Amino acid sequence: WKSEADACTDALKYVGGNTALEALLHNQRGLAYLQLAGKPTDKAMRDAEAEFRSALVLTETLPVAWYHLGVALLKQGRDPEGIVALQAFVERGTRSPDVDIAKKMIENPRRARENFAPEFGIASMEGEYITLKDLQGKVVLLDFWGTWCGPCVEAAPMLTDIARARAKDPRFTIIGISSDSAS
């Protein structure tokens, strides 16, 4: 990411009067800084924010810079500002999968700071269909395993112990997903 940020810095020397290209390079350098930031308080995070703001000053034709700015602000815990930036992105009517992600982050800003499971649905052995929405608010332990996997088989007693210990806790569930073929 450092070399990407440096390449954008070098490229900015050659944009001439092309503000659209300059905005793209600021946005791209902001993305590199965003990846370099380990913590919300890192200088790289503030640099990323500054790059996205620079892109937005240069042109209104780069709505994704609003999205990236919103994410950078939410990652810093500046939720009200981040939500405003994401709303600006959504309101531009861009047709992109990022619009759905932005709407989810507007609804729950933690999504920019934490890893969330993608939407999914599975059928249980009993034929019950379970979706991510059904599990909302619970701690879910996902166990991907196979009978051919030695460490997976060795972990089974520990998982059984966890299941017994948490059996009466409605906020906890274990979902085991086997890679073995059904017979």
Side-chain angles (χ1 to χ4, degrees):
W1 300 110
K2 173 82 171 89
S3 60
E4 180 178 354
D6 291 345
C8 290
T9 300
D10 290 342
L12 282 165
K13 297 172 188 172
Y14 303 101
V15 296
N18 188 338
T19 56
L21 178 58
E22 187 177 354
L24 281 171
L25 288 167
H26 280 291
N27 184 66
Q28 194 62 39
R29 189 164 57 176
L31 287 172
Y33 287 147
L34 201 55
Q35 293 299 319
L36 287 168
K39 295 183 277 186
T41 56
D42 286 352
K43 180 183 181 308
M45 185 67 74
R46 291 187 306 277
D47 291 345
E49 177 188 345
E51 291 299 324
F52 300 135
R53 290 187 187 281
S54 293
L56 291 166
V57 166
L58 289 165
T59 182
E60 284 291 317
T61 61
L62 193 61
V64 74
W66 282 110
Y67 173 79
H68 296 143
L69 175 62
V71 171
L73 292 167
L74 292 180
K75 284 182 178 282
Q76 294 176 68
R78 294 163 55 193
D79 295 355
E81 293 172 84
I83 289 169
V84 168
L86 290 173
Q87 287 171 332
F89 169 69
V90 170
E91 289 167 4
R92 287 187 166 49
T94 305
R95 296 179 65 171
S96 159
D98 290 336
V99 171
D100 291 333
I101 297 168
K103 288 177 181 177
K104 288 179 181 178
M105 284 189 279
I106 290 167
E107 184 179 312
N108 183 358
R110 286 180 37 212
R111 287 187 171 274
R113 296 183 287 272
E114 300 173 15
N115 291 326
F116 279 72
E119 296 294 329
F120 69 87
I122 58 170
S124 72
M125 299 279 290
E126 295 79 30
E128 178 187 9
Y129 190 72
I130 302 167
T131 67
L132 178 62
K133 195 167 203 83
D134 297 329
L135 302 170
Q136 189 170 1
K138 294 185 178 191
V139 173
V140 180
L141 189 155
L142 292 174
D143 178 37
F144 296 89
W145 66 282
T147 56
W148 50 267
C149 170
C152 299
V153 173
E154 287 180 34
M158 177 188 62
L159 291 169
T160 302
D161 291 345
I162 292 171
R164 281 192 192 118
R166 299 285 186 170
K168 294 182 180 177
D169 186 349
R171 301 166 300 163
F172 181 84
T173 190
I174 297 176
I175 298 177
I177 301 170
S178 172
S179 64
D180 295 341
S181 57
S183 25

